[in-house]
Amino acid sequence: RNNHFMVRLATGDEKGRKSGSTIEYTRASLRLSTPSFLRRFRNKRGKGVTVMPSYDFIEGKARCVLSGDVGSTGRTRAVLRLDVDDSTLTLVRALDGNKIIAPTISLQSGKIVYDYHVDLEGGQSSTSHQKVGSSLRAHVDPSKGVILKWTDGIPGGSGGSCWVTECRVPLSVTASGPLAADVRVGRRWVM
């Protein structure tokens, strides 16, 4: 079990003045066993349900995240985010050892966005030329656009640098013109 409770105390604003509350933020994480009426659906790992309530005293907003494995294989996880502004349901599915798909639906508006992650490391070879952390991520919002992020990986995985490329393609006409893409290339350093 990994249960915890956290309280962040207010230290004042950037000018050193005290804010209205002495508590800024609270958060808890509780791992609960699978309810008895769902025991037949429990997977081999039997991790149960995680409940993570939180409250932001500065903004006056409460949030609760419930997550748990679904199905007998343990490859699917349901995440329910209950929020004052917009609650969402995400189903995270490991298609195999390298691919994950995670559609998210807004419970307020019904809007669906899709996230897809591919681990490009492939097989576990023992060569020193293997790059650790190579991946391709896609975030697809049918009403806005597509974001692709490719991370080249770090040779040997023991520190160094890797290339990171991000491409944003809007699916609607923008101020720059129709289908104006934004491509960024950068270097990430790991010490």
Side-chain angles (χ1 to χ4, degrees):
R1 293 188 174 247
N2 191 13
N3 300 331
H4 69 271
F5 181 73
M6 182 191 84
V7 176
R8 181 184 299 157
L9 300 175
T11 58
D13 62 10
E14 57 273 353
K15 295 180 183 173
R17 295 183 299 231
K18 279 284 200 184
S19 59
S21 174
T22 57
I23 298 175
E24 204 174 279
Y25 186 81
T26 61
R27 180 176 61 198
S29 179
L30 307 165
R31 169 98 47 199
L32 306 173
S33 62
T34 306
S36 60
F37 63 91
L38 293 176
R39 294 225 193 264
R40 68 185 185 119
F41 299 110
R42 186 168 64 179
N43 63 34
K44 295 172 190 163
R45 295 183 298 175
K47 289 191 172 182
V49 177
T50 301
V51 180
M52 295 181 291
S54 63
Y55 187 78
D56 186 335
F57 286 86
I58 304 298
E59 295 185 19
K61 290 187 178 180
R63 171 183 279 176
C64 186
V65 178
L66 300 138
S67 64
D69 291 339
V70 178
S72 60
T73 63
R75 293 176 30 194
T76 305
R77 184 170 222 22
V79 180
L80 178 62
R81 290 178 184 87
L82 302 172
D83 200 334
V84 174
D85 298 327
D86 188 19
S87 299
T88 60
L89 175 63
T90 303
L91 293 175
V92 181
R93 173 73 174 176
L95 301 175
D96 60 25
N98 297 337
K99 298 178 201 84
I100 297 172
I101 188 166
T104 300
I105 184 168
S106 167
L107 300 180
Q108 182 180 358
S109 66
K111 178 181 176 180
I112 300 176
V113 296
Y114 305 91
D115 288 293
Y116 187 67
H117 179 265
V118 179
D119 183 4
L120 299 175
E121 292 174 27
Q124 299 296 327
S125 66
S126 59
T127 64
S128 61
H129 300 293
Q130 181 183 8
K131 294 185 175 185
V132 177
S134 297
S135 65
L136 178 65
R137 293 182 179 268
H139 176 79
V140 181
D141 184 340
S143 64
K144 292 183 180 176
V146 177
I147 301 171
L148 291 173
K149 185 175 184 178
W150 170 61
T151 304
D152 185 31
I154 298 170
S158 61
S161 63
C162 66
W163 289 103
V164 178
T165 305
E166 185 173 302
C167 179
R168 295 173 180 259
V169 181
L171 295 178
S172 61
V173 177
T174 64
S176 304
L179 294 177
D182 176 20
V183 178
R184 299 170 189 214
V185 178
R187 196 90 171 138
R188 180 184 303 158
W189 297 91
V190 177
M191 306 279 178

